[in-house]
Amino acid sequence: MKYANPYVAGVGLGLVLIAAFALTGHGLGASGAFAASAAGTVRAIAPDTAAANGFFNRYVADGADPWRDWLVLEILGVFVGGFLSAALAGRLRPTVDRGAGIAVRTRLMRAAGGGALMGVGAVLARGCTSGLALSGGALLSVGSWAFMMSAFAAGFAAAPLVRRSWP
Amino acid sequence: MNATDTFVAIGIGIAFGFALERAGLGNARKLAGQFLLRDFTVVKVMFSAILTAMLGLYWLGRLGAIDAAFLYVPDTYLAPQAVGGLVFGAGFALAGLCPGTSCVSAATGRGDGLATIAGLFAGVLATGLFFSPLAAFYESGGHGAWTLPALFDLPRGVVVFLVVAVALSAFAIVARIEEVRDLPAEAGSRLQSGSRLLSALAVFALTLGVLAAVDGVRTGTHKPAAAVPLVRPHSGC
């Protein structure tokens, strides 16, 4: 089945964002779930390290459970929602999206490397495309728009270097 | 977190993931295509979502259905967000997925989505573990809940209108680029498909934007203006 018209899907996404704000007071997010689960992992292995760490401490302060963080639960929902949508549209298929001129292994390395860079960037910026760009952008936050502009600028600059990743 | 909050969090996540997958944003080829100017799905989805939420929250706040003070505006830390954005954007182009879309990609059976998730987790974990040298930079340039209306010294409603005007112009330019470059019209990615509905949406957005500009000039404030409740709050009891 074809994907939805992107403008219509975008309006749908905007309505989901309004619902998130109306029900919880904050918007959508994704990188925060990775930060919380990293904090949870560190706490499970070395509780003192997590409590003393300048970044992870905020997720474990006052006996908070990072695995019960709002964003961790939300991102579990994202997996379920993405799966359901693809299942209903007949789009579930084990594959690796890549260009014809590139090996699966290379593509996976680039995906992991890109993920790692995004992890670094999201920690520094305090968010990602969901929480900072989309949610903060709708509320006209200066930092959100600054992040959005520099992320797109870097994306456009970097993409030609890995053009062969794609068809 | 109680049972209701858990239910709401998972429910919102399901709707979020569903919308991303519908739009085709679980597919790294579509996201990478944006950075190569071959597929404009990302810009279309992202900016129509921002317009919808911005206009919706503005007017729901003004009509008293939502308390604007209840909405969390991300704090601005200009330097770390600009630099973090550069690192993030390079990773985004390399992976062809962002954190949210990588989860959708993995959930729909894609190995590159799973690899992006693994990389993200490693990147966040490593940055967190070696955070001390970054801490001073991380805390630099703090401006609190700084907004574009305050930055440009314009009423909030006027900025809302300007964002609508810029986004609709960008959509028109994208349509022109698609026409000139004759990009493969995969899956209703052209503005032309379903154009009557899209024209109606654009006119609706523009109308709400113009009304916001008028409202902004009238109230003249950077901050969300006090609500004029159409729905009267319950009194007493």
Side-chain angles (χ1 to χ4, degrees):
Chain A
M1 201 169 104
K2 287 182 172 184
Y3 291 124
N5 182 297
Y7 292 107
V8 176
V11 170
L13 180 55
L15 295 176
V16 174
L17 181 53
I18 291 175
F21 271 120
L23 292 171
T24 72
H26 44 86
L28 303 165
S31 59
F34 287 89
S37 42
T41 305
V42 173
R43 189 191 60 166
I45 297 166
D48 296 341
T49 306
N53 180 283
F55 181 67
F56 294 129
N57 57 3
R58 71 202 69 194
Y59 293 98
V60 298
D62 304 323
D65 183 359
W67 297 110
R68 303 274 297 165
D69 190 279
W70 189 87
L71 281 174
V72 172
L73 298 168
E74 182 231 30
I75 217 72
L76 288 177
V78 169
F79 278 95
V80 175
F83 177 85
L84 282 178
S85 169
L88 290 173
R91 281 195 285 261
L92 286 178
R93 193 164 58 92
T95 181
V96 173
D97 286 321
R98 65 186 202 284
I102 187 171
V104 167
R105 191 188 150 85
T106 314
R107 168 67 188 122
L108 292 180
M109 299 284 280
R110 287 182 180 181
L117 280 176
M118 286 191 286
V120 176
V123 169
L124 283 178
R126 295 170 160 79
C128 65
T129 3
S130 309
L132 200 50
L134 183 62
S135 307
L139 291 178
L140 307 175
S141 156
V142 174
S144 294
W145 284 86
F147 172 81
M148 216 184 310
M149 285 189 270
S150 65
F152 273 98
F156 283 119
L161 306 176
V162 289
R163 184 176 282 272
R164 279 165 50 84
S165 287
W166 312 108
Chain B
M1 181 172 267
N2 62 35
T4 312
D5 291 342
T6 303
F7 181 74
V8 167
I10 295 175
I12 287 173
I14 290 175
F16 184 23
F18 198 94
L20 289 175
E21 203 286 330
R22 285 286 124 169
L25 296 185
N27 181 342
R29 282 193 273 193
K30 290 187 84 65
L31 289 105
Q34 176 62 69
F35 291 118
L36 295 169
L37 300 176
R38 295 199 296 223
D39 185 320
F40 288 85
T41 305
V42 171
V43 162
K44 292 172 184 176
V45 172
M46 183 140 184
F47 286 94
S48 44
I50 287 180
L51 284 198
T52 303
M54 177 185 68
L55 287 166
L57 292 171
Y58 182 88
W59 284 111
L60 289 173
R62 289 291 282 140
L63 300 178
I66 285 182
D67 179 4
F70 173 65
L71 306 181
Y72 170 71
V73 179
D75 283 339
T76 293
Y77 289 82
L78 213 46
Q81 281 163 341
V83 173
L86 290 176
V87 179
F88 184 93
F92 191 173
L94 187 56
L97 293 163
C98 64
T101 51
S102 69
C103 297
V104 176
S105 171
T108 53
R110 295 171 159 92
D112 49 325
L114 216 51
T116 306
I117 288 175
L120 263 166
F121 186 80
V124 170
L125 185 66
T127 315
L129 289 175
F130 300 99
F131 189 69
S132 348
L134 297 169
F137 179 62
Y138 180 82
E139 297 295 346
S140 66
H143 291 273
W146 197 21
T147 62
L148 297 178
L151 171 67
F152 296 127
D153 192 22
L154 285 171
R156 189 177 184 82
V158 172
V159 175
V160 165
F161 165 73
L162 291 175
V163 173
V164 172
V166 169
L168 292 181
S169 310
F171 294 159
I173 292 169
V174 163
R176 181 79 188 126
I177 295 173
E178 289 177 328
E179 200 182 313
V180 169
R181 300 187 63 179
D182 197 25
L183 294 176
E186 186 195 346
S189 66
R190 289 284 185 87
L191 188 67
Q192 287 85 341
S193 58
S195 60
R196 200 172 301 165
L197 172 64
L198 295 183
S199 309
L201 284 173
V203 169
F204 186 51
L206 193 59
T207 307
L208 289 180
V210 170
L211 289 174
V214 173
D215 184 55
V217 170
R218 236 166 36 81
T219 55
T221 171
H222 295 160
K223 300 204 168 87
V228 186
L230 288 189
V231 188
R232 290 195 182 279
H234 293 289
S235 58
C237 310

